[in-house]
Amino acid sequence: MTRQSRTSPAGSERSLHQAYDTALLDLDGVVYAGGRAIAHAVESLAVARADGMHLAYVTNNALRTPDAVAEHLSELGVPTEAGEVITSAQAVARLIAEEVAPGSKVLVIGGEGLRVALRERGLVPVDSADEEGLAAVVQGYGGPTLAWERFAEASYAINRGVPWYASNTDLTIPGARGIAPGNGAAVEVVRIATGAEPRVAGKPLPPMHRETVLRTGAKRPLVVGDRLDTDIEGAFNGDVDSLLVLTGVTDGARLLRAEPKYRPTYVDRDLRGLLTGQPEVTPVGEGFRCGGWTAFAGPEALELRGEGDPLDGLRALCAAAWTRAGEGSCGLDAGKALALLGL
């Protein structure tokens, strides 16, 4: 199945951790949220690894270093080496290093993850827009306490013509208390002040996919994420398969409205989906069946009949919505159908 033809979630007779050699896992909203492991994540990853699947953790969060991320994952019960962590800080540092002279000074608006990644590429992180010979500005998530004056510092340099780079543009980030502003929100502040546009490296853009492939050597990768506009679109852009888990920012309503580039190959509740096959969605008359559910695209709303696993109902609804929408976004009301599933 090609990415352009996806009009329903795919089925798989084999468990996903046996069908793919490497899981490219997002972290926030997939493995943990707010520093705490998401239910079933630790156990599922342990089984996948024990059965031979390579696990790589691919995050747009540029705040922490790979060492810090690996240590945190290990503390949560997921043994991880720093080399198994790929961050948008690494991707943007490589991008900058390819475009400026070795040893160049780069103004950092963000956290330690950016500084370490820049040094790895032979660049010099600095804090002031007034540094002589400043070659670039790089902006990444700096945590909730990042001072407002850092945005001003970036603006001073960018308004003087210094090239601007961003690790990623995720507008939100999930945490233990809910959804908070992400680096994309901070980037918007600087964009408003400068009128400039940054070069972006993180998911869903090619620099991040390239960084991941270079560092993992994956042959049959499966992208696993919770966001349609980064994880799933990144898989689409890389022409690889994806698993959407419903433990982060994406809910059923967003999924049903997804345009082709945001449609995952598979859908499951959480990381237990790695350890199972995926049920087929089959056409039945004018509808689509998955498990005990059949979904239809009516004149004004999506309709659902049957009983069984709510996830099967959601998969059937995806097929009905995506087929009706074609290359666009489904505008049919899905409220009653999702309420029937408790989603």
PDB file of all heavy atoms in Angstrom, residues 230-255:
ATOM      1  N   THR A 230       3.102  15.863  13.338  1.00  0.00           N
ATOM      2  CA  THR A 230       4.556  15.699  13.421  1.00  0.00           C
ATOM      3  C   THR A 230       4.928  14.242  13.159  1.00  0.00           C
ATOM      4  O   THR A 230       5.576  13.923  12.169  1.00  0.00           O
ATOM      5  CB  THR A 230       5.102  16.143  14.791  1.00  0.00           C
ATOM      6  OG1 THR A 230       4.404  15.462  15.833  1.00  0.00           O
ATOM      7  CG2 THR A 230       4.950  17.640  14.963  1.00  0.00           C
ATOM      8  N   ASP A 231       4.486  13.352  14.044  1.00  0.00           N
ATOM      9  CA  ASP A 231       4.862  11.943  13.922  1.00  0.00           C
ATOM     10  C   ASP A 231       4.317  11.319  12.645  1.00  0.00           C
ATOM     11  O   ASP A 231       5.059  10.727  11.849  1.00  0.00           O
ATOM     12  CB  ASP A 231       4.341  11.153  15.134  1.00  0.00           C
ATOM     13  CG  ASP A 231       4.814  11.748  16.444  1.00  0.00           C
ATOM     14  OD1 ASP A 231       6.005  12.091  16.541  1.00  0.00           O
ATOM     15  OD2 ASP A 231       3.989  11.892  17.373  1.00  0.00           O
ATOM     16  N   ILE A 232       3.001  11.432  12.445  1.00  0.00           N
ATOM     17  CA  ILE A 232       2.371  10.742  11.313  1.00  0.00           C
ATOM     18  C   ILE A 232       2.727  11.436   9.997  1.00  0.00           C
ATOM     19  O   ILE A 232       3.032  10.774   9.000  1.00  0.00           O
ATOM     20  CB  ILE A 232       0.850  10.664  11.501  1.00  0.00           C
ATOM     21  CG1 ILE A 232       0.515  10.010  12.857  1.00  0.00           C
ATOM     22  CG2 ILE A 232       0.220   9.899  10.347  1.00  0.00           C
ATOM     23  CD1 ILE A 232       1.190   8.670  13.099  1.00  0.00           C
ATOM     24  N   GLU A 233       2.731  12.747   9.975  1.00  0.00           N
ATOM     25  CA  GLU A 233       3.135  13.454   8.753  1.00  0.00           C
ATOM     26  C   GLU A 233       4.605  13.192   8.442  1.00  0.00           C
ATOM     27  O   GLU A 233       4.996  13.072   7.278  1.00  0.00           O
ATOM     28  CB  GLU A 233       2.888  14.952   8.893  1.00  0.00           C
ATOM     29  CG  GLU A 233       3.167  15.707   7.601  1.00  0.00           C
ATOM     30  CD  GLU A 233       2.948  17.202   7.713  1.00  0.00           C
ATOM     31  OE1 GLU A 233       2.594  17.691   8.812  1.00  0.00           O
ATOM     32  OE2 GLU A 233       3.150  17.894   6.698  1.00  0.00           O
ATOM     33  N   GLY A 234       5.434  13.070   9.484  1.00  0.00           N
ATOM     34  CA  GLY A 234       6.837  12.748   9.254  1.00  0.00           C
ATOM     35  C   GLY A 234       7.005  11.385   8.612  1.00  0.00           C
ATOM     36  O   GLY A 234       7.840  11.197   7.723  1.00  0.00           O
ATOM     37  N   ALA A 235       6.209  10.405   9.060  1.00  0.00           N
ATOM     38  CA  ALA A 235       6.239   9.076   8.437  1.00  0.00           C
ATOM     39  C   ALA A 235       5.774   9.156   6.989  1.00  0.00           C
ATOM     40  O   ALA A 235       6.349   8.520   6.100  1.00  0.00           O
ATOM     41  CB  ALA A 235       5.356   8.115   9.229  1.00  0.00           C
ATOM     42  N   PHE A 236       4.741   9.941   6.747  1.00  0.00           N
ATOM     43  CA  PHE A 236       4.233  10.140   5.386  1.00  0.00           C
ATOM     44  C   PHE A 236       5.320  10.723   4.493  1.00  0.00           C
ATOM     45  O   PHE A 236       5.569  10.243   3.379  1.00  0.00           O
ATOM     46  CB  PHE A 236       3.011  11.059   5.435  1.00  0.00           C
ATOM     47  CG  PHE A 236       2.423  11.398   4.092  1.00  0.00           C
ATOM     48  CD1 PHE A 236       1.425  10.617   3.540  1.00  0.00           C
ATOM     49  CD2 PHE A 236       2.858  12.511   3.392  1.00  0.00           C
ATOM     50  CE1 PHE A 236       0.879  10.938   2.294  1.00  0.00           C
ATOM     51  CE2 PHE A 236       2.320  12.838   2.154  1.00  0.00           C
ATOM     52  CZ  PHE A 236       1.324  12.045   1.607  1.00  0.00           C
ATOM     53  N   ASN A 237       6.003  11.757   4.986  1.00  0.00           N
ATOM     54  CA  ASN A 237       7.049  12.403   4.196  1.00  0.00           C
ATOM     55  C   ASN A 237       8.217  11.464   3.931  1.00  0.00           C
ATOM     56  O   ASN A 237       8.873  11.551   2.886  1.00  0.00           O
ATOM     57  CB  ASN A 237       7.544  13.663   4.907  1.00  0.00           C
ATOM     58  CG  ASN A 237       6.519  14.779   4.883  1.00  0.00           C
ATOM     59  OD1 ASN A 237       5.625  14.805   4.040  1.00  0.00           O
ATOM     60  ND2 ASN A 237       6.621  15.698   5.824  1.00  0.00           N
ATOM     61  N   GLY A 238       8.476  10.551   4.891  1.00  0.00           N
ATOM     62  CA  GLY A 238       9.547   9.587   4.713  1.00  0.00           C
ATOM     63  C   GLY A 238       9.119   8.324   4.008  1.00  0.00           C
ATOM     64  O   GLY A 238       9.934   7.427   3.783  1.00  0.00           O
ATOM     65  N   ASP A 239       7.834   8.233   3.676  1.00  0.00           N
ATOM     66  CA  ASP A 239       7.253   7.078   2.989  1.00  0.00           C
ATOM     67  C   ASP A 239       7.479   5.786   3.786  1.00  0.00           C
ATOM     68  O   ASP A 239       7.858   4.757   3.228  1.00  0.00           O
ATOM     69  CB  ASP A 239       7.817   6.934   1.572  1.00  0.00           C
ATOM     70  CG  ASP A 239       6.858   6.166   0.656  1.00  0.00           C
ATOM     71  OD1 ASP A 239       5.692   5.956   1.061  1.00  0.00           O
ATOM     72  OD2 ASP A 239       7.271   5.779  -0.444  1.00  0.00           O
ATOM     73  N   VAL A 240       7.251   5.859   5.098  1.00  0.00           N
ATOM     74  CA  VAL A 240       7.325   4.682   5.952  1.00  0.00           C
ATOM     75  C   VAL A 240       6.014   4.544   6.720  1.00  0.00           C
ATOM     76  O   VAL A 240       5.236   5.491   6.821  1.00  0.00           O
ATOM     77  CB  VAL A 240       8.514   4.759   6.934  1.00  0.00           C
ATOM     78  CG1 VAL A 240       9.830   4.825   6.183  1.00  0.00           C
ATOM     79  CG2 VAL A 240       8.382   5.954   7.879  1.00  0.00           C
ATOM     80  N   ASP A 241       5.768   3.360   7.257  1.00  0.00           N
ATOM     81  CA  ASP A 241       4.525   3.086   7.961  1.00  0.00           C
ATOM     82  C   ASP A 241       4.529   3.689   9.357  1.00  0.00           C
ATOM     83  O   ASP A 241       5.584   3.983   9.929  1.00  0.00           O
ATOM     84  CB  ASP A 241       4.277   1.581   8.039  1.00  0.00           C
ATOM     85  CG  ASP A 241       3.907   0.978   6.689  1.00  0.00           C
ATOM     86  OD1 ASP A 241       3.583   1.745   5.766  1.00  0.00           O
ATOM     87  OD2 ASP A 241       3.939  -0.264   6.565  1.00  0.00           O
ATOM     88  N   SER A 242       3.315   3.841   9.917  1.00  0.00           N
ATOM     89  CA  SER A 242       3.200   4.504  11.211  1.00  0.00           C
ATOM     90  C   SER A 242       2.097   3.871  12.052  1.00  0.00           C
ATOM     91  O   SER A 242       1.130   3.310  11.535  1.00  0.00           O
ATOM     92  CB  SER A 242       2.900   5.994  11.023  1.00  0.00           C
ATOM     93  OG  SER A 242       1.680   6.174  10.306  1.00  0.00           O
ATOM     94  N   LEU A 243       2.264   3.979  13.353  1.00  0.00           N
ATOM     95  CA  LEU A 243       1.271   3.559  14.340  1.00  0.00           C
ATOM     96  C   LEU A 243       0.913   4.768  15.183  1.00  0.00           C
ATOM     97  O   LEU A 243       1.786   5.349  15.841  1.00  0.00           O
ATOM     98  CB  LEU A 243       1.822   2.441  15.230  1.00  0.00           C
ATOM     99  CG  LEU A 243       1.016   2.102  16.497  1.00  0.00           C
ATOM    100  CD1 LEU A 243      -0.360   1.549  16.145  1.00  0.00           C
ATOM    101  CD2 LEU A 243       1.793   1.132  17.385  1.00  0.00           C
ATOM    102  N   LEU A 244      -0.349   5.165  15.175  1.00  0.00           N
ATOM    103  CA  LEU A 244      -0.838   6.227  16.042  1.00  0.00           C
ATOM    104  C   LEU A 244      -1.359   5.610  17.329  1.00  0.00           C
ATOM    105  O   LEU A 244      -2.197   4.705  17.293  1.00  0.00           O
ATOM    106  CB  LEU A 244      -1.966   7.013  15.371  1.00  0.00           C
ATOM    107  CG  LEU A 244      -2.600   8.089  16.255  1.00  0.00           C
ATOM    108  CD1 LEU A 244      -1.690   9.312  16.345  1.00  0.00           C
ATOM    109  CD2 LEU A 244      -3.984   8.490  15.744  1.00  0.00           C
ATOM    110  N   VAL A 245      -0.860   6.098  18.466  1.00  0.00           N
ATOM    111  CA  VAL A 245      -1.406   5.685  19.759  1.00  0.00           C
ATOM    112  C   VAL A 245      -2.198   6.846  20.340  1.00  0.00           C
ATOM    113  O   VAL A 245      -1.819   8.015  20.196  1.00  0.00           O
ATOM    114  CB  VAL A 245      -0.296   5.220  20.719  1.00  0.00           C
ATOM    115  CG1 VAL A 245       0.306   3.907  20.246  1.00  0.00           C
ATOM    116  CG2 VAL A 245       0.789   6.279  20.885  1.00  0.00           C
ATOM    117  N   LEU A 246      -3.293   6.517  21.018  1.00  0.00           N
ATOM    118  CA  LEU A 246      -4.231   7.533  21.486  1.00  0.00           C
ATOM    119  C   LEU A 246      -3.952   7.918  22.940  1.00  0.00           C
ATOM    120  O   LEU A 246      -4.874   8.113  23.733  1.00  0.00           O
ATOM    121  CB  LEU A 246      -5.667   7.017  21.325  1.00  0.00           C
ATOM    122  CG  LEU A 246      -6.061   6.638  19.905  1.00  0.00           C
ATOM    123  CD1 LEU A 246      -7.477   6.060  19.877  1.00  0.00           C
ATOM    124  CD2 LEU A 246      -5.951   7.839  18.964  1.00  0.00           C
ATOM    125  N   THR A 247      -2.669   8.058  23.274  1.00  0.00           N
ATOM    126  CA  THR A 247      -2.285   8.386  24.637  1.00  0.00           C
ATOM    127  C   THR A 247      -1.784   9.820  24.772  1.00  0.00           C
ATOM    128  O   THR A 247      -1.339  10.223  25.859  1.00  0.00           O
ATOM    129  CB  THR A 247      -1.174   7.425  25.119  1.00  0.00           C
ATOM    130  OG1 THR A 247      -0.148   7.349  24.124  1.00  0.00           O
ATOM    131  CG2 THR A 247      -1.730   6.039  25.366  1.00  0.00           C
ATOM    132  N   GLY A 248      -1.842  10.580  23.684  1.00  0.00           N
ATOM    133  CA  GLY A 248      -1.335  11.947  23.711  1.00  0.00           C
ATOM    134  C   GLY A 248      -2.363  12.951  23.244  1.00  0.00           C
ATOM    135  O   GLY A 248      -3.478  13.002  23.749  1.00  0.00           O
ATOM    136  N   VAL A 249      -2.010  13.742  22.226  1.00  0.00           N
ATOM    137  CA  VAL A 249      -2.829  14.890  21.856  1.00  0.00           C
ATOM    138  C   VAL A 249      -3.927  14.572  20.839  1.00  0.00           C
ATOM    139  O   VAL A 249      -4.842  15.371  20.656  1.00  0.00           O
ATOM    140  CB  VAL A 249      -1.952  16.039  21.319  1.00  0.00           C
ATOM    141  CG1 VAL A 249      -0.934  16.468  22.349  1.00  0.00           C
ATOM    142  CG2 VAL A 249      -1.264  15.645  20.024  1.00  0.00           C
ATOM    143  N   THR A 250      -3.853  13.432  20.159  1.00  0.00           N
ATOM    144  CA  THR A 250      -4.822  13.140  19.103  1.00  0.00           C
ATOM    145  C   THR A 250      -5.991  12.342  19.646  1.00  0.00           C
ATOM    146  O   THR A 250      -5.802  11.311  20.304  1.00  0.00           O
ATOM    147  CB  THR A 250      -4.167  12.355  17.953  1.00  0.00           C
ATOM    148  OG1 THR A 250      -3.103  13.137  17.403  1.00  0.00           O
ATOM    149  CG2 THR A 250      -5.175  12.051  16.856  1.00  0.00           C
ATOM    150  N   ASP A 251      -7.208  12.813  19.365  1.00  0.00           N
ATOM    151  CA  ASP A 251      -8.407  12.082  19.747  1.00  0.00           C
ATOM    152  C   ASP A 251      -9.120  11.575  18.499  1.00  0.00           C
ATOM    153  O   ASP A 251      -8.684  11.802  17.367  1.00  0.00           O
ATOM    154  CB  ASP A 251      -9.346  12.949  20.602  1.00  0.00           C
ATOM    155  CG  ASP A 251      -9.774  14.241  19.896  1.00  0.00           C
ATOM    156  OD1 ASP A 251      -9.608  14.358  18.661  1.00  0.00           O
ATOM    157  OD2 ASP A 251     -10.285  15.135  20.584  1.00  0.00           O
ATOM    158  N   GLY A 252     -10.231  10.876  18.711  1.00  0.00           N
ATOM    159  CA  GLY A 252     -10.950  10.284  17.591  1.00  0.00           C
ATOM    160  C   GLY A 252     -11.448  11.299  16.585  1.00  0.00           C
ATOM    161  O   GLY A 252     -11.397  11.062  15.372  1.00  0.00           O
ATOM    162  N   ALA A 253     -11.937  12.440  17.064  1.00  0.00           N
ATOM    163  CA  ALA A 253     -12.474  13.452  16.148  1.00  0.00           C
ATOM    164  C   ALA A 253     -11.389  13.985  15.216  1.00  0.00           C
ATOM    165  O   ALA A 253     -11.615  14.149  14.013  1.00  0.00           O
ATOM    166  CB  ALA A 253     -13.102  14.588  16.959  1.00  0.00           C
ATOM    167  N   ARG A 254     -10.202  14.270  15.764  1.00  0.00           N
ATOM    168  CA  ARG A 254      -9.097  14.750  14.922  1.00  0.00           C
ATOM    169  C   ARG A 254      -8.700  13.699  13.902  1.00  0.00           C
ATOM    170  O   ARG A 254      -8.408  13.998  12.747  1.00  0.00           O
ATOM    171  CB  ARG A 254      -7.891  15.106  15.792  1.00  0.00           C
ATOM    172  CG  ARG A 254      -8.023  16.381  16.597  1.00  0.00           C
ATOM    173  CD  ARG A 254      -6.674  16.760  17.183  1.00  0.00           C
ATOM    174  NE  ARG A 254      -6.756  17.960  18.008  1.00  0.00           N
ATOM    175  CZ  ARG A 254      -6.843  17.958  19.323  1.00  0.00           C
ATOM    176  NH1 ARG A 254      -6.864  16.806  19.969  1.00  0.00           N
ATOM    177  NH2 ARG A 254      -6.914  19.076  20.008  1.00  0.00           N
ATOM    178  N   LEU A 255      -8.659  12.451  14.344  1.00  0.00           N
ATOM    179  CA  LEU A 255      -8.245  11.375  13.451  1.00  0.00           C
ATOM    180  C   LEU A 255      -9.201  11.233  12.273  1.00  0.00           C
ATOM    181  O   LEU A 255      -8.779  11.056  11.128  1.00  0.00           O
ATOM    182  CB  LEU A 255      -8.167  10.063  14.227  1.00  0.00           C
ATOM    183  CG  LEU A 255      -7.752   8.819  13.454  1.00  0.00           C
ATOM    184  CD1 LEU A 255      -6.373   8.988  12.848  1.00  0.00           C
ATOM    185  CD2 LEU A 255      -7.788   7.607  14.374  1.00  0.00           C
TER     186      LEU A 255
END
